[in-house]
Amino acid sequence: MDQLPLEGMPRRLYACTPSRLNTWLECPRRYRFAYLDRPAPPKGPPWAHNSVGISVHNALAAWWREPYERRTPAVAGTLLTRGWINEGFRDAEQSATWRDRARDMVTGYAATLDPAAEPVGVERTVATRTSVLALSGRIDRLDRRGEELVVVDYKTGRRPLGTDDARSSLALAVYAIASSRVMRRPCHRVELHHLPTGSIVEWVHTDESLARHLSHAEEIAIEASEADDRYKEWSATTARPKGADRSPPRIPEEIDALFPPRTGPLCSWCDFRRHCPEGQAASGGRQPWDGLAD
């Protein structure tokens, strides 16, 4: 017997990360592929630029976990080389070239850091709740400067960054809010550290601007969770294939319409492009190493 929802009961909080919210904004169909379809459609091959980014992030996180006396630029380079991810590159030569470039990035960046300036957190998970959502995420680095906390995010992409990137970032804003609530210290400053150029882009939020970002996150959460619920209601009443056939059941039009594709240049870089005819028509395919700078 189906259980009817009790009138007046509070709505279940929408559990999410900033990445999940941004995925819904960018393309509801990709959101469905990534978070709802089970089994999830197979992704395309790994991207070389992601391998660079993850390798750099891992090396810098490991560097801060080293004893103080080992926090040198040379050690940062060694950590990068030791943890290099060799996926998505055209060949071994291209991988080696980018390993060396990435090593130069982290050694140059480490040379600008004070090894004694112990961060509050490295790869630190923070979380916060509102009446609508339960949001969590992991910060690259959380600094304490004076009485304030500062959210630091590493970037390794080829595109130079501007102040608007820091100001408009939903992820950075909610990280600042969550950090402040978890650590019980004010946090208004967010920074993007672009390792390829050595530049730092910052933005200092006000309480009002942080509140606007959080309100925007709630609006996204309400929209996404309503589509989630409809999908889960359909899924709960749909027979699943048994045995060797693990392909997902055909999704009816009324459910598929809740997750429309939002096509554009980003379709070229979508992990699920092969499963989306509209995305294929909107933009040409990319080689796994095309995201690397020249």
Side-chain angles (χ1 to χ4, degrees):
M1 180 177 178
D2 293 337
Q3 186 175 6
L4 296 176
L6 299 178
E7 186 175 352
M9 287 291 288
R11 183 181 178 88
R12 176 175 50 84
L13 296 182
Y14 177 74
C16 62
T17 62
S19 178
R20 182 167 182 147
L21 295 175
N22 281 325
T23 300
W24 174 264
L25 275 182
E26 291 171 359
C27 181
R29 176 171 290 175
R30 178 158 62 89
Y31 173 95
R32 196 198 81 208
F33 286 154
Y35 295 106
L36 298 179
D37 284 355
R38 293 295 178 267
K43 293 183 178 181
W47 298 100
H49 62 274
N50 286 344
S51 294
V52 173
I54 295 170
S55 297
V56 167
H57 279 70
N58 289 346
L60 291 174
W63 188 81
W64 281 111
R65 297 185 184 111
E66 291 283 339
Y68 164 75
E69 62 274 10
R70 283 184 49 80
R71 291 177 189 165
T72 66
V75 168
T78 298
L79 291 169
L80 183 285
T81 301
R82 186 183 302 163
W84 181 245
I85 298 172
N86 186 27
E87 293 184 341
F89 298 94
R90 181 177 55 241
D91 50 33
E93 180 180 1
Q94 187 185 52
S95 176
T97 296
W98 274 92
R99 180 198 60 211
D100 294 345
R101 289 190 187 184
R103 185 173 60 238
D104 290 343
M105 283 186 209
V106 298
T107 55
Y109 180 70
T112 70
L113 300 174
D114 178 0
E118 198 74 40
V120 174
V122 174
E123 295 290 328
R124 173 69 184 259
T125 297
V126 293
T128 190
R129 292 188 175 202
T130 74
S131 61
V132 174
L133 51 74
L135 192 145
S136 64
R138 191 166 61 182
I139 303 172
D140 291 343
R141 197 175 89 218
L142 185 63
D143 289 351
R144 178 180 173 183
R145 302 182 198 160
E147 294 304 310
E148 287 259 351
L149 299 174
V150 178
V151 174
V152 174
D153 193 52
Y154 305 131
K155 294 297 183 183
T156 59
R158 60 185 179 182
R159 182 178 69 84
L161 302 174
T163 301
D164 192 57
D165 292 297
R167 181 193 62 79
S168 64
S169 171
L170 176 66
L172 294 182
V174 297
Y175 288 157
I177 294 168
S179 298
S180 180
R181 293 180 179 180
V182 169
M183 307 302 296
R184 299 185 181 278
R185 286 188 178 276
C187 183
H188 297 91
R189 183 183 298 273
V190 298
E191 295 180 352
L192 295 171
H193 291 206
H194 190 240
L195 272 71
T197 60
S199 63
I200 296 177
V201 175
E202 65 180 23
W203 183 258
V204 180
H205 281 287
T206 63
D207 289 339
E208 291 75 19
S209 66
L210 289 175
R212 287 194 297 271
H213 273 288
L214 190 58
S215 178
H216 184 41
E218 289 183 322
E219 292 170 0
I220 301 168
I222 291 171
E223 187 176 308
S225 65
E226 289 176 351
D228 281 17
D229 289 346
R230 290 280 304 280
Y231 182 98
K232 290 172 183 176
E233 289 171 4
W234 162 78
S235 181
T237 60
T238 303
R240 298 287 159 174
K242 297 180 180 180
D245 184 8
R246 295 289 296 153
S247 59
R250 182 177 177 82
I251 296 177
E253 290 184 6
E254 63 271 20
I255 299 299
D256 187 52
L258 298 172
F259 304 91
R262 290 183 182 151
T263 58
L266 288 179
C267 292
S268 293
W269 306 99
C270 181
D271 287 331
F272 302 105
R273 182 176 179 273
R274 70 169 93 170
H275 308 289
C276 180
E278 292 88 346
Q280 294 175 38
S283 191
R286 295 281 187 170
Q287 296 291 349
W289 52 87
D290 281 352
L292 300 172
D294 294 335

